[in-house]
Amino acid sequence: MRLSLIFIALLSTLSTTALANKQADEKSYLTIIPNHNPQLIRNFNPFINSRLHTARDFIYEPLVIFNELKGNIPVFRLAKNYTVSDDLLSLTFDLRNDVKWSDGEQFTADDILYTFNMIKENSALDDRGIAKRISKIEKNNDYVITFTFNEVNTSLVNDVVSIPIVPQHIWSKIDKPETFTNENPVGTGPFTEIERFTSSLFTQCRNPNYWDNDSLKVDCLRIPQKNHNDQVLADLINSEIDWAGS
């Protein structure tokens, strides 16, 4: 199951475990197992395979989420709308103008333009091979951006929105983004603050500048290290975790 489905669920549900934690600790925690790891390594670079799975979606919010549980209807996040040209060769996004990065800097189309230019220059970051299919990206204004493609492909919108958008003011200073571990990430997503990190457990808490904070039902994600389905199933049975992707 895709991690983006958890993101949608977090906006609408609150587990009984999280409620209990809320009473005990004041902050509420949702305990999840998004993937298996022999140990947790503090790597929140959303482009590389060794990343922690909570980097995408939760730290770097997508432009749009297509809800697989509801016929792939679009749930708009950084974008508030998109349109496809009649010839199916261009895709235009209208962006939210009330989004800030977790450090307080404003999010704009410049960040999208920078991100896609970065992956075009560094194929190691392009896990979907999308850069070679884009012929041009134009910033219409600070909150409108248009992608033009080399050929018609109806899956391109899904590929475009799958690319995590990173802040230009941070990543432009990184010499080798393909090896950057991004231990203290700056993102647009709901849970950007790394409250605690060990090799067996980390907690990831609310972005203080998240544009949709009023919709969140929990304060933090709690991610323990698990390396086998048997461990995960036992913890689910004992109500020690709230959600698992395995």
Side-chain angles (χ1 to χ4, degrees), residues 13-31 191 205-206 213-214 216-220 222 242:
T13 63
L14 179 61
S15 71
T16 54
T17 303
L19 279 170
N21 286 339
K22 180 73 171 179
Q23 295 169 356
D25 304 327
E26 294 186 354
K27 285 183 181 178
S28 58
Y29 292 79
L30 192 76
T31 301
F191 300 104
C205 295
R206 286 194 189 207
N213 254 325
D214 288 346
L216 297 182
K217 307 300 183 186
V218 295
D219 298 313
C220 303
R222 180 179 179 273
D242 302 304

Side-chain angles (χ1 to χ4, degrees), residues 86-98:
D86 291 340
D87 62 6
L88 304 180
L89 287 174
S90 66
L91 175 65
T92 299
F93 289 96
D94 297 309
L95 307 176
R96 302 189 64 89
N97 62 8
D98 58 348

Side-chain angles (χ1 to χ4, degrees), residues 65-218:
I65 293 172
F66 291 98
N67 188 343
E68 296 174 358
L69 298 180
K70 295 185 178 180
N72 285 324
I73 62 170
V75 180
F76 292 102
R77 307 312 300 163
L78 296 181
K80 58 184 181 181
N81 188 36
Y82 73 86
T83 55
V84 180
S85 63
D86 291 340
D87 62 6
L88 304 180
L89 287 174
S90 66
L91 175 65
T92 299
F93 289 96
D94 297 309
L95 307 176
R96 302 189 64 89
N97 62 8
D98 58 348
V99 176
K100 291 184 177 181
W101 295 97
S102 53
D103 63 358
E105 292 288 325
Q106 186 70 24
F107 163 80
T108 70
D110 287 324
D111 297 302
I112 298 176
L113 189 61
Y114 171 79
T115 297
F116 278 85
N117 284 335
M118 180 180 69
I119 66 171
K120 186 174 183 179
E121 294 168 3
N122 192 330
S123 60
L125 306 178
D126 188 6
D127 60 1
R128 288 183 175 264
I130 193 171
K132 63 185 179 184
R133 291 180 281 164
I134 298 173
S135 62
K136 184 172 57 175
I137 306 175
E138 294 177 285
K139 172 189 165 184
N140 303 29
N141 60 51
D142 281 348
Y143 299 103
V144 179
I145 193 164
T146 298
F147 294 81
T148 303
F149 306 108
N150 298 320
E151 59 184 12
V152 173
N153 185 329
T154 55
S155 72
L156 279 171
V157 62
N158 295 280
D159 290 341
V160 168
V161 303
S162 73
I163 302 299
I165 308 303
V166 296
Q168 179 179 9
H169 67 283
I170 300 291
W171 285 68
S172 61
K173 300 172 185 176
I174 305 303
D175 292 332
K176 294 183 177 180
E178 70 276 13
T179 60
F180 176 45
T181 54
N182 196 26
E183 294 185 3
N184 298 295
V186 172
T188 52
F191 300 104
T192 58
E193 308 305 290
I194 310 307
E195 178 188 59
R196 173 189 179 192
F197 198 99
T198 71
S199 61
S200 59
L201 173 74
F202 71 97
T203 53
Q204 192 171 318
C205 295
R206 286 194 189 207
N207 172 357
N209 292 304
Y210 185 49
W211 66 273
D212 200 20
N213 254 325
D214 288 346
S215 295
L216 297 182
K217 307 300 183 186
V218 295

